[in-house]
Amino acid sequence: MIRVNDNYLKLPGSYLFATIAAKAKAFRQTLAVDDVISLGIGDVTQPLCNASISAMHDAVDELSRAGSFRGYGPEQGYEFLRRAIAEGDYASRGVKVSPDEIFISDGAKSDTGNIVDILGSGRVAVTDPVYPVYVDSNAMAGRAGDYTGTKWSGITYLPCLEENGFVPQLPSEKVDVVYLCFPNNPMGTVLTKDELAKWVEYALRNDVLILYDAAYEAFITNPAVPHSIYEIDGAKKVAIEFRSYSKTAGFTGVRCGYAVLPDELCAEEGGRRVKLNELWKRRQCTKFNGASYISQRGAAAIYSEEGRRQTAQTIGYYMENAAYLKRVLEDMGIKAFGGTDAPYLWVKTPDGITSWDFFDILLTQAHLICTPGAGFGPSGEGFVRFTAFGHRESYHEAADRLGKLII
Ligand SMILES: *Cc1c(COP(=O)(O)O)cnc(C)c1O
């Protein structure tokens, strides 16, 4: 008899973005002209930078000749990329990370989803609203209890609300693992260095593992906001950091990212000290054969002077979209948070209408797609998310349509 992992059967039916796509599709079919603008799903629109493009062309040429062909790469990723990361992302900010602590991957979604493989039982806390991968991967592993309509019974939700400035408070119950994502998706908000330091102190004091998703680090403009959790003293004892080139450099389709598992990060198991770095190495060697040589060459090129300049320009373009849309919304008297150190706006629905009702109003009246906040967790109710990843013209058009909205 075929048996399945029945934890999958506990997952709520539809994936948020599938529901949005279905609603949008049904609505589009009622239109004579398809003029729907999507500011919903967080995919990038600007092409790869020239530095990455030419590095990837060169890599293909290398693979096309017998003398320079390469097959399976080193399990943790090519040294040229791990060195570029250690220097460009860490040493340049005064943080010491060794190439041995870096694991190249095909993106941060896989890493943040797969990390549960090396963790034992223990209570998980997430900030609420939450990037769905953290919760669903724990549910699939049987670590989330039961789904009760908006929450999982076995997960501790840390509400991020307007009242607390969207800063999660330390858990009041005992937890063992905390997922933090800053700059945050979906809220577009950040933690200052002092706020993040409180989390590191808490984790050191209570033996808590922090899973720190820094996928949007490149969008930070405020100097008081840390780019890496390792900018905080002691963090290497308690935190794994995840990064991705997806949003930084348009790699959503190319695929490349990395995780940092510091040498000093240990767990106690049966009276033995176990290095998480070694477990992850074991896990990756068994189940993963690396990101392609071509993507790793493309990623390494981002650290060249040309690559930095070009990616900064594209990020600047997205952040101008965010600033523009934020101004438009605020001029309408609508509250919009985030959007200064992250490519997302977290927008409060007017008159207390629900996220999905506001989604429907925007879709039917303005032909605009956003993401209902309620889809990211109970504290997302009353908010919608707009992304800054679209084309500039879409934001100008969106502004015109928002101006004609009747709420
Ligand atoms: C987009 C995103 C990622 C990165 O995903 P990739 O798999 O690297 O494309 C990771 N975490 C968050 C919160 C994201 O929004």
Side-chain angles (χ1 to χ4, degrees):
M1 191 169 61
I2 300 174
R3 304 294 307 271
V4 295
N5 175 349
D6 59 1
N7 294 314
Y8 280 62
L9 308 181
K10 295 186 190 170
L11 295 166
S14 141
Y15 178 58
L16 173 63
F17 292 100
T19 312
I20 294 171
K23 279 194 171 234
K25 187 174 172 206
F27 180 70
R28 280 181 152 124
Q29 282 165 352
T30 68
L31 296 175
V33 190
D34 183 355
D35 62 351
V36 174
I37 298 176
S38 175
L39 304 178
I41 193 157
D43 202 358
V44 300
T45 54
Q46 296 302 299
L48 297 166
C49 71
N50 284 327
S52 290
I53 295 167
S54 86
M56 289 196 277
H57 276 301
D58 290 348
V60 172
D61 287 342
E62 274 184 71
L63 299 184
S64 71
R65 290 185 296 265
S68 53
F69 173 77
R70 292 166 189 253
Y72 289 128
E75 272 128 359
Q76 261 184 261
Y78 282 98
E79 181 136 348
F80 64 78
L81 179 54
R82 288 185 291 120
R83 284 195 182 284
I85 292 167
E87 177 54 42
D89 284 341
Y90 294 105
S92 65
R93 296 192 179 278
V95 175
K96 211 168 163 299
V97 166
S98 134
D100 294 339
E101 297 174 309
I102 298 167
F103 294 77
I104 308 300
S105 72
D106 61 352
K109 189 183 210 174
S110 328
D111 285 346
T112 53
N114 290 333
I115 199 73
V116 293
D117 272 16
I118 64 163
L119 303 178
S121 60
R123 191 159 178 104
V124 167
V126 298
T127 56
D128 167 31
V130 61
Y131 181 57
V133 176
Y134 313 152
V135 170
D136 288 1
S137 57
N138 277 282
M140 289 169 176
R143 301 162 48 97
D146 294 305
Y147 192 63
T148 60
T150 53
K151 287 183 177 186
W152 290 87
S153 62
I155 288 185
T156 298
Y157 289 75
L158 307 170
C160 297
L161 306 164
E162 191 180 357
E163 297 85 275
N164 58 26
F166 305 101
V167 174
Q169 307 298 297
L170 300 175
S172 52
E173 57 196 346
K174 169 71 188 149
V175 305
D176 304 284
V177 180
V178 178
Y179 287 82
L180 295 178
C181 172
F182 288 100
N184 187 265
N185 177 10
M187 300 184 293
T189 54
V190 289
L191 292 187
T192 61
K193 196 166 179 182
D194 289 345
E195 286 161 346
L196 186 57
K198 285 190 193 138
W199 280 95
V200 172
E201 281 159 32
Y202 159 81
L204 285 164
R205 224 174 29 244
N206 297 283
D207 263 331
V208 172
L209 172 65
I210 297 178
L211 299 175
Y212 195 72
D213 186 342
Y216 295 95
E217 158 280 327
F219 293 80
I220 295 170
T221 55
N222 179 348
V225 173
H227 288 245
S228 164
I229 194 167
Y230 306 126
E231 289 177 46
I232 315 286
D233 285 342
K236 287 186 89 181
K237 289 197 173 71
V238 289
I240 297 176
E241 179 160 290
F242 303 97
R243 296 234 189 148
S244 164
Y245 300 103
S246 284
K247 321 298 163 42
T248 308
F251 271 45
T252 46
V254 175
R255 312 303 306 146
C256 197
Y258 66 88
V260 179
L261 288 94
D263 189 56
E264 55 261 62
L265 176 59
C266 289
E268 284 277 327
E269 200 60 57
R272 227 176 101 201
R273 272 169 77 75
V274 182
K275 287 190 181 188
L276 272 64
N277 176 297
E278 285 172 6
L279 291 193
W280 186 243
K281 195 180 295 173
R282 189 76 176 81
R283 190 262 171 218
Q284 292 297 79
C285 287
T286 300
K287 295 197 185 183
F288 183 61
N289 257 332
S292 78
Y293 176 65
I294 300 164
S295 0
Q296 293 190 59
R297 277 292 178 201
I302 296 165
Y303 296 91
S304 66
E305 202 187 310
E306 190 200 4
R308 281 179 191 286
R309 198 181 57 245
Q310 292 169 347
T311 48
Q313 204 169 17
T314 303
I315 288 171
Y317 173 85
Y318 293 138
M319 295 314 282
E320 280 170 28
N321 288 343
Y324 173 79
L325 185 59
K326 192 167 184 170
R327 228 171 22 245
V328 167
L329 290 163
E330 285 173 349
D331 287 349
M332 293 172 64
I334 294 178
K335 281 189 180 173
F337 302 93
T340 54
D341 296 288
Y344 294 113
L345 293 183
W346 192 236
V347 176
K348 192 169 182 185
T349 63
D351 305 322
I353 40 186
T354 70
S355 303
W356 279 106
D357 283 348
F358 194 49
F359 170 89
D360 286 333
I361 290 171
L362 290 175
L363 180 62
T364 54
Q365 284 191 36
H367 304 184
L368 272 186
I369 300 176
C370 62
T371 311
F376 295 104
S379 298
E381 184 53 274
F383 290 86
V384 297
R385 186 192 73 173
F386 283 104
T387 89
F389 287 128
H391 297 286
R392 182 65 44 81
E393 313 79 72
S394 309
Y395 294 89
H396 293 158
E397 179 61 29
D400 280 350
R401 296 184 191 179
L402 284 167
K404 297 182 193 128
L405 211 59
I406 307 153
I407 315 169

